Structures are given as C-alpha cells and as structure tokens.
Amino acid sequence: MPMHWMRLAGLVLFAPLAGCANARQDWLWIFNPNGPLATWSVYYLFVDVVLLLIIIVPATALTLWVIFRYRRGGHGTYDPSFRHSNLIEVFAWGVPLLVVGALSYYAYEGAHAVAPYDPGVLQTNPAAQANKPLQIDVITTDWQWLFIYPEQDVALANKLILPVGRQINMRLTSASVTNDFYILKLVGQIYVMPGMRTKRKFLIDRPGTYRGFSTEFSGPGFSWMDYKVHVVKKAKFQGWVDKAQATGQALSYKRFQQFAEPMVNTAHKTYTFNHVDPDLFETVIKRVKSGKLTHERPMELTEDMGSAKFRKHSTQ
C-alpha cells in the first residue's frame, strides 16, 4: 500500500479520538484519571465499550463477508431450499441476550460504585477512611463559582483548591439557574440547581492542576464560567487556608448578594473570603425558593461585547 494511503488510514483511525484531546497537552486524558471515582468511571466505560464490541465487530464482519461472498460473481452458492438454522438462531439471539445481561450487571454494580452521594469505592478505600472528610459548599451564580470551606471559615471564588488523599464532601446549589459541576479527570458531572441541594463525594490520589467548568448552558457568561482546580499536598493546603484566613474579605449574606449580581468573568478573576456567614449555604437556598434572591439577567450581553452594558457586567 502506498505511504500516503497508509497515512490517510491512520488519520481516519485516530480521528474519533480527537474529542479526547486536551488543547495543550495530555491528549489522551481520559486514559489518565485521578482518584478512585474517576478510575472506576473509566473502567465501567471500557467495560461497556468492550461488551458492545462483542456484538458490533462480528456483526459488521459477517455483513461484509456476506456482501463479498454473495455478490455477483462471488463464490457463494444460492440454496433455494434453505429455511432455518438453529445455529444461526442461537448466535443471533443468545449472544445479544448474554451481552444485555452482562451490561445490566455492570450497570447495577457501577451505579453503586460511583454513586455521587455515597460512592461504594470510597467505603473501602483506606485513604478515605483514614482522614476526616473535607466539607465544601458550592454556590453558582450568573456566571461565577463560589467554594465555601465551612470548617476553615474561608471561601474562594472562581478557583478551587483541594488536598490530595482526603475525601471531599460537597453540597451544591445555585443562586440563579441550573448549572453542571464537572472536573476533567477527577469527578463526573452533577447538576447544581436553584433552590435545591445536591451532593458529590470524591477523592483524589495525586497533586496536579485541572480544569473545572459547567456543562450546562446558562446564558451569555457561560463560556467564561470555568476555573482552575489545584490539587495540593496537605501542608500546602493548610498554608493556603492560613493565608486566606489572614488576608481574605469577610463574606456576609449582604456581600454575597453583591457577588451574585450577573457578572461575566472574562478576566478570570478570583476572590478570597474569610469570616464566612456559617448559614450562607442554607440562606441562599431559602431565599431562592422564596423568590427573594433574584437578579435581572441581561441575556443579550454577547451580542456586543464592546458595549457599555457588557463592560458593566464583565470583569474585563
């Protein structure tokens, strides 16, 4: 086969993996998960793919073989007396039934293993059992993220810092519309809904910097609604907490109302808070449910990013 055809064939084979690429590096990031939840999520994904290939590959090969063998001029023999084959019936019905049974088993097992509220893989994980979980409350606005560390009495906006080897227990709610919490390579997505509370538990095995973002379109500031996630060792995490407690701004409910004003974070600004209202998370849920925490949402902002209105509602 000529070299250019071989190159074209290789390009076609790898093209479906383009969606797995990171824009900068680590292009096969899906094969490098961090933490038991991410690892087992990828494991069950591969199990599903392999089980489905058991049907797809033979069915595709047999279809091509039949087309080739029984084409005009092929070597297939036409048998007008053929009516039935028990062997074909066994393979045509038996294999799919076995695959569906296996998929059902792994779907049930996987749903319990990586369940967002109480993942089974953490119940037997030594690291998860050795340390007290770190509680983090997550509140989304239009169009920013607020991460509150209640026990440390600090909060961080548009950036998340996590300790390695310690279970993370999150509560999530929204002060505006529905968003979707998701961190590549670390933890799968979960809805963040206004006036409601969802939970997410996970654990990270090794340090690194990752990307978190919302996967739910939420208006003109959606494209800038991402943040960096820094996973650090225990000592470095404690050092950041000490610094935040000493230098941050106080975060009362009144200050939060100002923070929750619609703002497109084009400059990717981050904010550090301390002396956080201990009831802030519950207060936001109650105020949203009662309709007392509302803001005008200027949906037409991205029509003219140079306008005075856009500059008023952006951090540029």
Side-chain angles (χ1 to χ4, degrees):
M1 179 183 292
M3 183 58 69
H4 66 277
W5 283 111
M6 293 181 65
R7 289 174 178 171
L8 180 61
L11 182 63
V12 171
L13 286 173
F14 281 97
L17 296 176
C20 305
N22 183 294
R24 298 175 182 174
Q25 57 182 356
D26 198 11
W27 68 284
L28 288 178
W29 60 267
I30 198 170
F31 299 112
N32 189 27
N34 188 351
L37 248 73
T39 301
W40 280 96
S41 296
V42 172
Y43 166 76
Y44 286 111
L45 174 64
F46 276 99
V47 168
D48 290 346
V49 171
V50 170
L51 287 174
L52 291 175
L53 287 177
I54 290 176
I55 294 178
I56 294 172
V57 171
T60 303
L62 285 172
T63 300
L64 295 175
W65 177 78
V66 168
I67 293 173
F68 180 78
R69 182 173 176 81
Y70 293 96
R71 75 190 189 284
R72 177 179 292 182
H75 299 292
T77 302
Y78 174 61
D79 182 4
S81 64
F82 177 81
R83 292 290 184 273
H84 181 77
S85 169
N86 288 329
L87 182 63
I88 292 177
E89 293 291 342
V90 167
F91 278 96
W93 290 98
V95 174
L97 284 175
L98 289 175
V99 171
V100 170
L103 281 172
S104 301
Y105 169 77
Y106 282 107
Y108 175 82
E109 185 183 74
H112 286 80
V114 299
Y117 280 38
D118 191 19
V121 294
L122 295 187
Q123 295 175 5
T124 56
N125 185 283
Q129 303 301 319
N131 302 297
K132 182 182 177 183
L134 174 67
Q135 179 68 43
I136 299 178
D137 293 338
V138 183
I139 305 176
T140 62
T141 68
D142 288 332
W143 292 270
Q144 301 187 80
W145 294 84
L146 180 65
F147 303 100
I148 303 171
Y149 301 73
E151 294 183 6
Q152 289 72 27
D153 196 25
V154 297
L156 191 56
N158 306 320
K159 186 165 75 171
L160 180 59
I161 297 180
L162 301 172
V164 69
R166 184 177 177 184
Q167 181 176 318
I168 310 297
N169 290 356
M170 280 186 169
R171 299 189 301 173
L172 308 99
T173 191
S174 172
S176 57
V177 298
T178 297
N179 284 290
D180 217 334
F181 175 85
Y182 181 38
I183 305 176
L184 286 173
K185 295 200 288 186
L186 300 187
V187 60
Q189 65 182 49
I190 189 169
Y191 281 120
V192 185
M193 296 174 283
M196 300 180 68
R197 182 221 61 205
T198 49
K199 295 181 180 179
R200 200 62 163 114
K201 295 181 180 180
F202 58 99
L203 176 75
I204 307 169
D205 287 334
R206 56 183 185 275
T209 300
Y210 303 89
R211 180 188 175 215
F213 57 94
S214 174
T215 58
E216 190 80 13
F217 180 71
S218 57
F222 168 76
S223 298
W224 293 271
M225 200 174 172
D226 58 353
Y227 53 92
K228 286 187 177 180
V229 182
H230 299 281
V231 181
V232 298
K233 294 184 178 179
K234 181 179 178 180
K236 193 170 183 178
F237 176 77
Q238 187 57 49
W240 168 76
V241 170
D242 294 341
K243 184 178 179 181
Q245 290 174 338
T247 61
Q249 314 168 42
L251 183 59
S252 61
Y253 178 70
K254 184 177 181 180
R255 175 70 182 87
F256 173 79
Q257 286 179 298
Q258 298 172 350
F259 174 80
E261 291 280 349
M263 185 64 63
V264 182
N265 193 18
T266 51
H268 289 93
K269 287 188 176 180
T270 63
Y271 308 92
T272 302
F273 302 97
N274 59 20
H275 301 300
V276 181
D277 181 345
D279 299 321
L280 181 59
F281 187 82
E282 289 80 7
T283 302
V284 169
I285 293 178
K286 291 177 182 177
R287 295 299 175 93
V288 171
K289 290 177 70 175
S290 63
K292 295 180 179 178
L293 180 60
T294 59
H295 297 93
E296 180 185 356
R297 305 181 76 241
M299 298 299 291
E300 74 282 8
L301 280 178
T302 49
E303 292 180 356
D304 183 3
M305 296 174 62
S307 67
K309 192 171 187 179
F310 184 86
R311 290 196 297 271
K312 178 183 177 183
H313 290 280
S314 69
T315 58
Q316 64 180 347

